[in-house]
Amino acid sequence: MKRIINILALLALFSVSAWAQTSIKVQAPNVVAADEQFNLTFIIEGENSPSDFQWNCPEEFQLVWGPQKGTSSSITIVNGKKTKSSQVTFTYVLLPRKTGTFNIPQATATVKGNTIRSADVRLEVVSGEGGVAGSNGGSSSGGSSSQAAQTGNISNDDLFLKLTLSRTKVVVGEPITATLKLYQRANVVGFEDAKFPTFTGFWSQEIQAPSNIEFQRESLNDKIYNSAVLRSWTIIPQQSGKVTIEPAELVCLVNIRSSAGTGSVFDSFFMDDYKTIRKRVHSDSYTLNVTALPGGAPSSFHGGVGSFNMTASISKDSLKAHDAASLIVQVTGSGNVSLLEAPTINFPPDFEVYDTKVSDIPSGKVFEFPFIPRSHGDFAIDPVEYSYYDISSHKYVTLRSSPLSVKVAPGAAGASGPSAVISSGSVRKDVKSLGNDIRFIVTQKPSFSRSGAFLIGSTAFWVILSLMIALGAGVWFAMRQMFAFKADVAGQKNRRAVKMARKRLSSAGDFLEKNLYTAFYEELHKALLGYISDKLNIDLSDMSKDNISSSLLGGGVGQETVGSFISLLDECEFARYSPSGSQDAMNSHYQTALDVITQIDSSMKKTSGSRNAAISAICLILMLSSLQPLGAQSQDYPDSLWNVATQAYLDGRWSEAAQAWSSISELGVESCDLYYNIGNAFFKMQDYSHAILNYERARKLDPSNTDVSHNLEFAQEFILDRIEAVPEFFLEAWGRKMCWIFHSDTWTVLFFIFFAIALAGGIVFFLSSGGRRKLGFWVGVCTLLVSLLCVDFAQWQKSDYVKDNSAIIVRAVTSVKSSPSRDSSKDLFVLHEGTKVKVLDSVGEWNNIELADGRQGWIPVSDMEII
C-alpha cells in the first residue's frame, strides 16, 4: 500500500512538473507607430503539442493577417535516453487604430487537459514615424531607415547621443545616475573613437559598460528610435556652484545605399550597392547648479548625504586582557555610499586600536575597528555617533548607538593560583598618544608692534650702532690718552707743580720761623720759578719775565695775578742781594706766594674744565635728541578686545574670537601670538585655509615659534593637495634652519653683543703689544664675523616678511588656467583650499602662480589671499 502511494505521488509530481514546463511566451515590440504594421507572436514550448489555442484581437488594433501557425520539434538521445521537445508559434500581423498605451489580451491554450495562459503585455502606440529596422518584435515596414540608406543623408535627428541625469537639483555629495544612450534611425554597423565625459568636479563610478550593444525600440519626442545604453555612471558632485559635464563623442559606422550602378537588373547580384560612411555624433554639455551643504555640520558628520541607518556591535563583549576583539559599525541606506568615511570611536585609554578595516556590502559599508585591551576591568565605549545630511528633510541627522560595554578578565600574566607566573616588577612601556590636536592659544597679552616693525634697519638700530661705534672710539681715545698721559713727562711735571711748590714753600716756611733771611728768599725764589717751570713746561734757561707773563696770560690767568707774581719775583731777587728786610716783610711775601700760586692753579684748571664740560654737554644733547623718538613710540594697548576674544575662545564661540582678534590687527598692530590665536580660531571653525594663512603670517613674524610650526603642520594634514616640493640647496636649507632658531630682533641683539666684543678686541689689538695684541686680533675678527652672521639672519627674516609673493588658496576648488582668461585658456590642474603658492606676476584680476614642485598657471586674484 505504501509503495502504491509513493508511485502515485511521483506521477502527480511528474505531471505538475510537465505542466509547469509548458507556458505561452509573447513576442511583440514595446512601442510602434500609428501607421506601422507589427508582428505579435505567441510561442508554446514543451514535450506536448497544445490544442484549442484562443486569442481575441482587441478593438484598438486591426487584424491584418493571421494567425499563422508554425510547428517545430526535436528529439535528443543522450546515453540512451531520448528526449523530445516541440515548439508551436501563432503569429498575427496587427495595425494600430489609435495612439496610446494598451494591454494585449491574454492568449489561452490546452496542454494535456490543462489550460495555460500568456502574460500581460503593454504596448505603446505613438503618432510619430515608425518602421525602425532591426527592432525587436518584428516590424514589417522599412520606414525612415530605408530612406536614409537610399539617400545617404544621415541627419542629426536620425543619429545622436543623449546624456540623461536622474536628478538635476542636488547638493554636494548627493549621488546622481548618469546614462549615456545612442539613438539611431539608420543602419549602424559599428563604432569608433569613443570619448566619454571625464566628470571634472565629480566623484564617478562606472556601473554599466556593456560589451555587446543591444538596441531596444524607444519612443522619444513622439518618434520611434532604436536606443542602446553605452555607459552608465554614478556621479557625486564634490563642489558647489555651476559644474559642467563635458559632452561625449562617438564615431558611428553607417551603411548607406550607393548611387553608383549601370541600371541593370543584375546590379544587385554582381555589385555591392551599399557603402559604409563615418558620422561623428556627440551629446550636449550639461551644467548643474550644485548647492553647498549648509553650515553647522555636527562633528560626527563624515560626508554622508542621503538616508542611512547604523548599527554598532562588539564581536566579543567578554574577553581577557591582551585578547583581540572588534567593534563593528554597519551603515546602510541610499545615498553616496561609496564616499562614506569611518566614524570616530572613543575607545578607553588602555585599548590598543589598529587600522580600521572597511568592506562594502549591498547598499552600505561595514567599518571594523580591531582593538586589544591591555588591562582588565569593566569598560564602557561611548555611544557611536554618525551624522549625515538628509536630502528629503534638508537637515543633518545624527544616528546614535547605545553605550557598548566590555568586560575584560585578567589575562595569563595576571592569573592566580599555584601555576601563576610571579613577575619581578611592572612591565614598563612608552606613553601612547591618544590623539592629536592643535596647541592651545596664548592667553597672556603680548607686546604689539607696528605692522612691519623690526629692530634691524630701524632708527633705534642705527642710533644704537652709532653710539656703540662712538663709544668704542671714545674708549680707544681715552685709553690712548691715558697711555700718553703716563708717558708725558712734562704733563707729570705740570700736575706735580703745585705739590713741589708747596714742598719748597714748606722749606721756606722753616727758614722763616728760624728768621734766616737769605735762605728764606733763596728757597722762596726757587719755589716760584720751579712752579712756573713745571706748570708751564718752560726750561730754566728760557725763564724770563716776558715769557712767564705771556705764558700765564695764554693759560687764562688774570693780568692782576700775573703782575702780582712778577712783582713777587722782583722782590725775592731784590731781597737776595740786599738783605735788609724785616720779619713782617718776610711773612707778607710768604703769604703772597701762597695766594698767587693758588690763584694761578685755579685759573688754569677752570679754563680746561670749562672746555671739557662744554664738549660733554654737546655729546649728551646729541644723545638725548637721537633717543627722543624711541621714547615717543607709544601705542594704545587693545586690552578689551584681547580679553573679549580670549573669553569667546574659551567658551567655544570660535567665530566671535576670530572677529575680535582680527579687529586688533586692523588697528595697525601685530604680533606672532595674535596671528597664532586667529589661526586657532579658524581651525576650530574648520576653515583650514584661513587657519593656515594666519599660521603662515605668525611664522613670518617669528619663525622660531615651535607652537606655530606644530599647528601649521597639523592644519596642513587637513588639506587635499599633496605637492612634492623641489629639494632646496642644502646650504640654503641649513642657513634657513639656523636663521629660524631665533626671532629677527633676537638676532639683532646678538649682533650688538658680538659687535661690542669685536670693538673691545679691536681696542686691545691697537693699544696692546705681544700676546695681548694677538689675542685681541683673533677675538675681534671672530666676533666680527659672528656679528655679521647675526645681522644677516636678522635681515633675512625681515626680507622674508616684506616679500608679498606667497599666498594661500582660500576657494574650495579653483582651476588653474594656462593663460589669464576664462574663455581662451585650458585647465591645467585643480587646486583646493589651504594650498600655498608663490605669486610670480599679476595681470588685471589674474595672478601667475607657481607650486612648490615647479608647475605654473593662472588663477583669479579672488581665489587666493596674500600671506
Side-chain angles (χ1 to χ4, degrees):
M1 184 67 181
K2 185 176 182 181
R3 179 178 297 176
I4 295 175
I5 294 174
N6 291 336
I7 292 173
L8 292 176
L10 289 174
L11 290 175
L13 180 62
F14 175 78
S15 62
V16 171
S17 174
W19 173 79
Q21 292 177 356
T22 304
S23 61
I24 302 178
K25 298 179 181 179
V26 183
Q27 284 187 353
N30 57 342
V31 57
V32 295
D35 59 348
E36 180 182 5
Q37 296 181 8
F38 64 93
N39 295 340
L40 174 64
T41 302
F42 298 95
I43 304 173
I44 303 174
E45 295 180 339
E47 294 183 359
N48 301 299
S49 298
S51 61
D52 192 20
F53 177 82
Q54 299 291 332
W55 180 78
N56 296 322
C57 179
E59 61 181 7
E60 294 87 0
F61 298 91
Q62 176 185 352
L63 179 60
V64 177
W65 181 77
Q68 173 67 38
K69 183 178 179 181
T71 303
S72 64
S73 61
S74 63
I75 298 176
T76 304
I77 301 176
V78 179
N79 295 329
K81 184 178 179 181
K82 184 173 72 172
T83 303
K84 178 182 178 182
S85 63
S86 63
Q87 183 185 70
V88 179
T89 61
F90 298 90
T91 302
Y92 298 84
V93 178
L94 305 180
L95 178 66
R97 297 179 184 271
K98 56 183 177 179
T99 60
T101 302
F102 309 105
N103 291 324
I104 301 297
Q106 293 180 344
T108 60
T110 302
V111 179
K112 296 186 66 175
N114 296 315
T115 301
I116 59 176
R117 299 177 184 275
S118 64
D120 291 333
V121 176
R122 293 180 64 84
L123 188 145
E124 181 183 4
V125 180
V126 297
S127 60
E129 297 177 355
V132 179
S135 60
N136 292 335
S139 171
S140 61
S141 173
S144 63
S145 174
S146 60
Q147 294 176 6
Q150 291 173 2
T151 61
N153 183 17
I154 308 299
S155 67
N156 292 334
D157 192 45
D158 292 329
L159 184 63
F160 59 90
L161 285 174
K162 182 177 178 62
L163 180 69
T164 58
L165 303 180
S166 59
R167 55 179 62 89
T168 56
K169 295 182 179 180
V170 294
V171 297
V172 174
E174 183 176 355
I176 307 169
T177 300
T179 304
L180 180 65
K181 283 186 175 182
L182 175 65
Y183 290 84
Q184 57 100 351
R185 295 163 56 86
N187 189 9
V188 178
V189 295
F191 310 99
E192 290 180 352
D193 194 19
K195 294 181 181 180
F196 299 111
T198 57
F199 298 109
T200 302
F202 295 86
W203 177 93
S204 63
Q205 183 180 26
E206 198 172 65
I207 58 176
Q208 188 176 357
S211 57
N212 295 324
I213 306 300
E214 296 183 358
F215 287 93
Q216 301 288 336
R217 290 170 65 93
E218 181 178 342
S219 172
L220 181 66
N221 297 330
D222 213 22
K223 291 183 180 180
I224 300 176
Y225 292 89
N226 278 340
S227 67
V229 175
L230 302 183
R231 289 290 187 275
S232 182
W233 301 269
T234 295
I235 60 175
I236 301 175
Q238 300 294 290
Q239 65 188 59
S240 60
K242 293 184 178 181
V243 186
T244 301
I245 300 177
E246 304 87 347
E249 292 186 2
L250 181 66
V251 175
C252 298
L253 304 179
V254 184
N255 274 353
I256 63 172
R257 186 178 298 276
S258 175
S259 59
T262 63
S264 172
V265 294
F266 300 102
D267 285 348
S268 59
F269 293 96
F270 300 102
M271 299 183 62
D272 186 3
D273 57 353
Y274 281 90
K275 67 177 181 180
T276 301
I277 65 170
R278 288 173 171 80
K279 181 174 178 60
R280 182 178 297 273
V281 293
H282 60 82
S283 64
D284 295 331
S285 61
Y286 208 110
T287 300
L288 276 78
N289 288 320
V290 182
T291 305
L293 291 174
S299 59
S300 56
F301 176 69
H302 296 283
V305 177
S307 179
F308 300 97
N309 296 313
M310 181 198 68
T311 60
S313 61
I314 296 179
S315 60
K316 294 186 293 183
D317 57 2
S318 297
L319 66 160
K320 293 183 179 181
H322 311 296
D323 287 349
S326 295
L327 190 155
I328 301 173
V329 178
Q330 180 173 308
V331 181
T332 57
S334 59
N336 57 346
V337 176
S338 301
L339 298 185
L340 294 180
E341 298 178 358
T344 302
I345 309 297
N346 296 321
F347 285 94
D350 208 26
F351 278 37
E352 188 172 324
V353 184
Y354 296 88
D355 293 339
T356 305
K357 299 178 181 178
V358 183
S359 56
D360 294 328
I361 59 174
S363 301
K365 279 189 175 183
V366 175
F367 304 98
E368 183 179 355
F369 300 85
F371 65 88
I372 297 178
R374 293 305 184 185
S375 59
H376 63 278
D378 294 338
F379 300 93
I381 300 176
D382 294 340
V384 179
E385 292 186 353
Y386 201 87
S387 299
Y388 66 92
Y389 181 75
D390 193 332
I391 301 174
S392 59
S393 61
H394 304 290
K395 65 180 182 179
Y396 292 99
V397 177
T398 299
L399 306 174
R400 182 191 298 267
S401 71
S402 58
L404 304 173
S405 300
V406 181
K407 294 182 179 180
V408 182
S416 59
S419 61
V421 178
I422 302 176
S423 60
S424 60
S426 301
V427 178
R428 304 182 67 184
K429 56 184 180 180
D430 295 335
V431 177
K432 182 177 64 175
S433 297
L434 302 180
N436 292 320
D437 198 2
I438 58 173
R439 295 180 182 174
F440 197 61
I441 60 172
V442 176
T443 56
Q444 185 178 2
K445 292 183 287 292
S447 58
F448 294 101
S449 60
R450 298 189 312 274
S451 297
F454 285 85
L455 181 56
I456 182 71
S458 63
T459 303
F461 172 82
W462 295 114
V463 169
I464 295 173
L465 182 61
S466 301
L467 290 177
M468 290 181 65
I469 296 175
L471 182 61
V475 171
W476 173 78
F477 182 76
M479 294 186 68
R480 183 176 180 182
Q481 289 295 105
M482 183 182 66
F483 292 149
F485 181 80
K486 291 181 179 180
D488 186 10
V489 177
Q492 291 182 4
K493 289 173 62 178
N494 181 288
R495 292 185 293 273
R496 291 184 300 174
V498 176
K499 184 178 180 180
M500 295 300 297
R502 288 177 178 175
K503 186 176 181 180
R504 293 189 180 103
L505 288 176
S506 177
S507 300
D510 292 339
F511 294 141
L512 177 61
E513 291 178 358
K514 297 178 181 179
N515 200 19
L516 297 176
Y517 182 85
T518 303
F520 168 74
Y521 280 105
E522 283 284 344
E523 194 64 29
L524 184 61
H525 189 265
K526 288 180 180 179
L528 293 174
L529 293 179
Y531 172 73
I532 291 301
S533 176
D534 293 338
K535 192 69 176 177
L536 301 179
N537 197 21
I538 301 176
D539 193 78
L540 292 176
S541 59
D542 297 329
M543 193 74 67
S544 64
K545 294 178 181 179
D546 293 336
N547 290 341
I548 293 173
S549 298
S550 60
S551 298
L552 289 175
L553 291 174
V557 180
Q559 183 67 40
E560 184 179 355
T561 304
V562 173
S564 299
F565 185 83
I566 297 299
S567 298
L568 185 58
L569 282 177
D570 291 339
E571 292 176 0
C572 288
E573 290 179 354
F574 179 77
R576 289 170 57 195
Y577 297 106
S578 57
S580 59
S582 61
Q583 182 72 22
D584 294 335
M586 293 172 63
N587 288 330
S588 175
H589 292 157
Y590 181 79
Q591 188 62 42
T592 301
L594 289 174
D595 293 340
V596 76
I597 289 176
T598 301
Q599 290 176 4
I600 291 173
D601 188 66
S602 62
S603 296
M604 297 185 71
K605 282 184 177 180
K606 184 177 180 181
T607 302
S608 176
S610 299
R611 186 184 302 112
N612 293 335
I615 295 173
S616 300
I618 293 173
C619 293
L620 182 61
I621 292 172
L622 290 175
M623 290 174 59
L624 292 177
S625 62
S626 300
L627 294 176
Q628 185 176 1
L630 295 177
Q633 292 176 359
S634 60
Q635 57 185 5
D636 296 331
Y637 196 81
D639 291 341
S640 59
L641 285 175
W642 181 271
N643 294 333
V644 168
T646 302
Q647 188 59 46
Y649 188 92
L650 296 176
D651 295 340
R653 293 178 281 119
W654 322 118
S655 178
E656 296 180 17
Q659 184 177 1
W661 276 318
S662 299
S663 299
I664 296 177
S665 65
E666 292 173 359
L667 298 177
V669 296
E670 63 182 5
S671 76
C672 174
D673 295 338
L674 175 62
Y675 289 128
Y676 170 78
N677 285 3
I678 296 176
N680 280 9
F682 278 114
F683 182 87
K684 292 297 185 180
M685 295 163 59
Q686 297 184 358
D687 188 349
Y688 301 120
S689 60
H690 286 91
I692 293 174
L693 174 68
N694 284 277
Y695 288 146
E696 289 283 2
R697 287 173 176 171
R699 190 168 69 167
K700 257 194 169 186
L701 285 175
D702 186 6
S704 63
N705 193 309
T706 56
D707 290 340
V708 172
S709 300
H710 173 272
N711 286 8
L712 177 59
E713 293 177 1
F714 188 76
Q716 289 172 341
E717 294 296 325
F718 291 85
I719 64 177
L720 297 178
D721 297 330
R722 293 291 181 267
I723 301 172
E724 295 293 335
V726 177
E728 195 175 21
F729 184 55
F730 76 97
L731 288 179
E732 186 174 0
W734 175 84
R736 187 179 299 278
K737 187 175 181 181
M738 287 287 296
C739 178
W740 285 5
I741 293 177
F742 300 115
H743 186 267
S744 173
D745 292 347
T746 305
W747 283 118
T748 306
V749 173
L750 290 176
F751 161 73
F752 287 140
I753 294 173
F754 286 109
F755 188 71
I757 298 175
L759 289 176
I763 292 172
V764 172
F765 171 75
F766 285 109
L767 298 179
S768 300
S769 60
R772 290 184 178 179
R773 179 181 176 88
K774 186 176 182 180
L775 176 63
F777 173 79
W778 287 112
V779 169
V781 170
C782 294
T783 53
L784 179 61
L785 293 177
V786 174
S787 66
L788 293 177
L789 185 63
C790 292
V791 77
D792 180 67
F793 285 162
Q795 183 61 35
W796 191 350
Q797 288 191 24
K798 181 180 179 180
S799 61
D800 284 346
Y801 175 85
V802 173
K803 291 178 180 177
D804 58 353
N805 61 345
S806 296
I808 301 297
I809 302 298
V810 295
R811 184 178 174 88
V813 179
T814 181
S815 297
V816 181
K817 304 288 186 178
S818 59
S819 62
S821 173
R822 295 187 183 275
D823 301 328
S824 61
S825 61
K826 293 183 178 180
D827 291 339
L828 300 180
F829 47 90
V830 174
L831 294 179
H832 300 84
E833 60 177 347
T835 302
K836 184 178 181 180
V837 298
K838 183 179 180 181
V839 180
L840 302 177
D841 192 11
S842 296
V843 175
E845 298 180 353
W846 293 82
N847 279 342
N848 185 16
I849 59 98
E850 183 181 43
L851 300 182
D853 58 5
R855 287 181 289 174
Q856 297 183 9
W858 293 84
I859 63 175
V861 175
S862 58
D863 291 355
M864 66 173 66
E865 194 166 339
I866 300 297
I867 297 175

